[in-house]
Amino acid sequence: PAGGPAAMAQARVLLTKEPAPQAVPASDLPKKVYEVALNTGPDSSSGLATAGFRTAKYLLPEWYQNNADLYHKAFTACEQAERGRTEAKELAEHATATAQRTQQDSVATLGQRLQDIHFWKAELQKEIEDLDAETSLLAAQKLRLERALDATEVPYAIATDNLQCRERRQPPDLVRDEVERELLKEAELIRNIRELLKRTLMQAGNQMRLNRDHKEVCEMDWSDKVETYNIDDKCGRYSNQSTDIQFHPSSVKFEESASTPETWAKFSHDNIYRAEREKLASINLRALIDNILHDVSEDLRMQCAAVNEAFAKHCEELEDTKHKLEHHLKKILKEIGDQEASMAALKQAIKDKEAPMKVAQTRLYDRSFRPNVELCRDEAQFRLINEVEELTESTESLKKKLLESEQSLRNLEDTRMNLEKEVAVKTNSIFIERQKCMAHRTCYPVVHKLAGYQ
């Protein structure tokens, strides 16, 4: 249907022909009262002598008077008829002009009404389109939230897997270090983020439902406006020459449930106001979702970087400790070799003292068979006894040193075993940190994905 200006133009076209005249009841004119002349005076026929001749006769003045009365009555009747015709013509012309003017006013009022309806219809249509577009944008943000929520599953699985893998570290490396604190912080952060995203998803779903509800209200109002516009446009196109017009006496009344122009305009205004309010709430929610997704992705990547940095630092410490342990193990192994060689030398030295001991003891034994006075405590006897004592003391010293060396060797062996075990523990820890944890963390989603764009 055409807009307001087109409706006014149509109204002017509709009023170019003169409307049909309508019947107006004629009002009764007052009657003129005339006095009848009486036969009185000297000329009246009241004598008794002529009573027989003037019984049924009028006097000449009476005849003239009667004719004059007839003339006067005829003139008055003509005058009244002419005045009546003039008044009827004027009344008919007035009624025709009034009907034409009121019809023009009605068409103009219908045209103005069409403009008002078109205005609110256009406002409602704009609001419906805006709400529909806003709902689509909010649906896209909701999809980003769902993608971001799905994307958090991988970081959470990585964090929990890292914690479980690090439980397989062997003592004494099974410590609550900085890496574990950062991993626990990461897992807690992801759990909080998932709860936040779920709550925001519910809020977005509720807002989309409110947007659709208010859009439906505006659509129903818009549909009523379209139907009303078509009806009023059809009414504005009616003319006195239309073939589909007829009498509807019962329509000349106001419906009890009819609205006033104020309540009519307020109804659409309130619908648009509520829709605008929900649209603004939806826009604010989209901005909030943008901020949430941005902050969430940044927080996750920053925490991921913190965990990776802690892993790298811990791996460097493990590597450094392992290298130091291997260096000490190498020295211990060399020391064990030297100690074993020393012990072999000590054993050989002890063995080497056996022959001199036998010689000295054999000499003493043989000299004990010297006869009589020859069994003398001479210098040679004292020297041989001192030699045996010296050899015995030396052998005891060597044996004592051998025992000390054996204990030292056992200590070295224990240290070697501990070092080898510790190197194996560090190797296992490095394997867990690098091959299990850090390798798994390479699958961490990028910021673009964590923000819900993929």
Side-chain angles (χ1 to χ4, degrees), residues 51-96:
F53 293 96
R54 53 185 177 87
T55 301
K57 296 181 181 177
Y58 294 93
L59 297 176
L60 186 61
E62 294 177 345
W63 182 78
Y64 282 116
Q65 184 65 39
N66 182 53
N67 290 335
D69 291 342
L70 290 175
Y71 297 156
H72 186 267
K73 287 182 179 180
F75 176 77
T76 303
C78 289
E79 186 180 21
Q80 288 180 352
E82 184 178 359
R83 187 168 59 252
R85 288 196 309 274
T86 303
E87 290 177 354
K89 183 179 179 182
E90 291 177 355
L91 184 62
E93 291 176 352
H94 177 72
T96 300

Side-chain angles (χ1 to χ4, degrees), residues 1-10 111 114-115 118-119 121 229 233 237:
M8 294 298 297
Q10 181 63 28
L114 285 173
Q115 289 183 354
H118 178 74
F119 169 77
K121 181 166 65 71
Y229 187 91
D233 181 66
R237 293 178 184 274

Side-chain angles (χ1 to χ4, degrees), residues 319-448:
E319 290 284 357
D320 182 62
T321 304
K322 181 187 173 186
H323 288 320
K324 290 179 179 178
L325 289 172
E326 289 174 344
H327 175 70
H328 286 289
L329 178 61
K330 185 177 180 181
K331 290 175 65 176
I332 288 292
L333 290 174
K334 182 178 182 300
E335 190 64 29
I336 287 174
D338 294 343
Q339 191 70 15
E340 288 175 345
S342 175
M343 288 172 62
L346 285 172
K347 290 178 181 179
Q348 186 62 41
I350 292 171
K351 188 176 182 180
D352 290 343
K353 298 299 180 290
E354 291 178 356
M357 180 65 75
K358 289 178 182 180
V359 171
Q361 289 181 355
T362 301
R363 286 174 177 171
L364 286 172
Y365 178 77
D366 287 345
R367 294 191 81 219
S368 66
F369 291 103
R370 289 176 297 170
N372 301 318
V373 74
E374 293 300 324
L375 188 63
C376 180
R377 296 179 182 178
D378 53 6
E379 187 65 28
Q381 185 72 18
F382 284 112
R383 188 68 191 90
L384 286 172
I385 291 173
N386 288 335
E387 182 182 6
V388 171
E389 290 177 353
E390 289 174 0
L391 286 174
T392 302
E393 185 180 355
S394 269
T395 303
E396 291 300 325
S397 298
L398 289 172
K399 287 181 178 179
K400 184 179 179 181
K401 180 57 70 176
L402 180 60
L403 290 175
E404 292 177 358
S405 298
E406 288 175 350
Q407 184 61 40
S408 177
L409 181 61
R410 284 193 294 270
N411 293 336
L412 290 173
E413 289 289 345
D414 292 340
T415 305
R416 178 184 65 81
M417 291 179 62
N418 291 333
L419 287 173
E420 288 176 346
K421 180 181 178 181
E422 198 63 28
V423 168
V425 169
K426 294 297 182 289
T427 303
N428 178 66
S429 298
I430 292 172
F431 174 77
I432 289 174
E433 304 286 46
R434 289 193 184 277
Q435 304 302 321
K436 293 293 184 182
C437 296
M438 296 185 72
H440 195 186
R441 295 189 69 80
T442 58
C443 302
Y444 208 92
V446 296
V447 176
H448 196 67

Side-chain angles (χ1 to χ4, degrees), residues 20 25 27 40 132 154 230 235 268 404 420 433:
S27 60
T40 58
D132 188 58
V154 174
N230 293 334
C235 291
S268 296
E404 292 177 358
E420 288 176 346
E433 304 286 46

Side-chain angles (χ1 to χ4, degrees), residues 33-177:
V33 181
Y34 294 94
E35 296 181 357
V36 181
L38 299 177
N39 293 328
T40 58
D43 295 329
S44 62
S45 56
S46 59
L48 295 175
T50 58
F53 293 96
R54 53 185 177 87
T55 301
K57 296 181 181 177
Y58 294 93
L59 297 176
L60 186 61
E62 294 177 345
W63 182 78
Y64 282 116
Q65 184 65 39
N66 182 53
N67 290 335
D69 291 342
L70 290 175
Y71 297 156
H72 186 267
K73 287 182 179 180
F75 176 77
T76 303
C78 289
E79 186 180 21
Q80 288 180 352
E82 184 178 359
R83 187 168 59 252
R85 288 196 309 274
T86 303
E87 290 177 354
K89 183 179 179 182
E90 291 177 355
L91 184 62
E93 291 176 352
H94 177 72
T96 300
T98 301
Q100 185 176 1
R101 185 176 64 253
T102 55
Q103 194 177 67
Q104 288 177 349
D105 293 343
S106 297
V107 172
T109 306
L110 282 172
Q112 182 61 43
R113 185 64 177 172
L114 285 173
Q115 289 183 354
D116 295 342
I117 295 173
H118 178 74
F119 169 77
W120 286 111
K121 181 166 65 71
E123 291 295 318
L124 286 167
Q125 184 172 357
K126 178 179 179 298
E127 193 61 34
I128 291 168
E129 293 173 354
D130 291 347
L131 265 181
D132 188 58
E134 177 59 33
T135 305
S136 299
L137 293 175
L138 186 57
Q141 291 292 76
K142 184 172 178 285
L143 180 60
R144 282 185 62 197
L145 282 173
E146 293 171 350
R147 289 173 176 171
L149 181 61
D150 293 339
T152 56
E153 293 179 357
V154 174
Y156 189 71
I158 290 175
T160 53
D161 182 71
N162 288 166
L163 288 169
Q164 291 173 359
C165 286
R166 299 186 90 243
E167 290 296 323
R168 297 197 293 268
R169 291 176 298 168
Q170 299 172 0
D173 280 5
L174 190 61
V175 294
R176 187 178 178 86
D177 54 3

Side-chain angles (χ1 to χ4, degrees), residues 8-22:
M8 294 298 297
Q10 181 63 28
R12 287 194 292 271
V13 173
L14 293 175
L15 295 179
T16 53
K17 293 186 179 181
E18 184 176 353
Q22 300 180 4

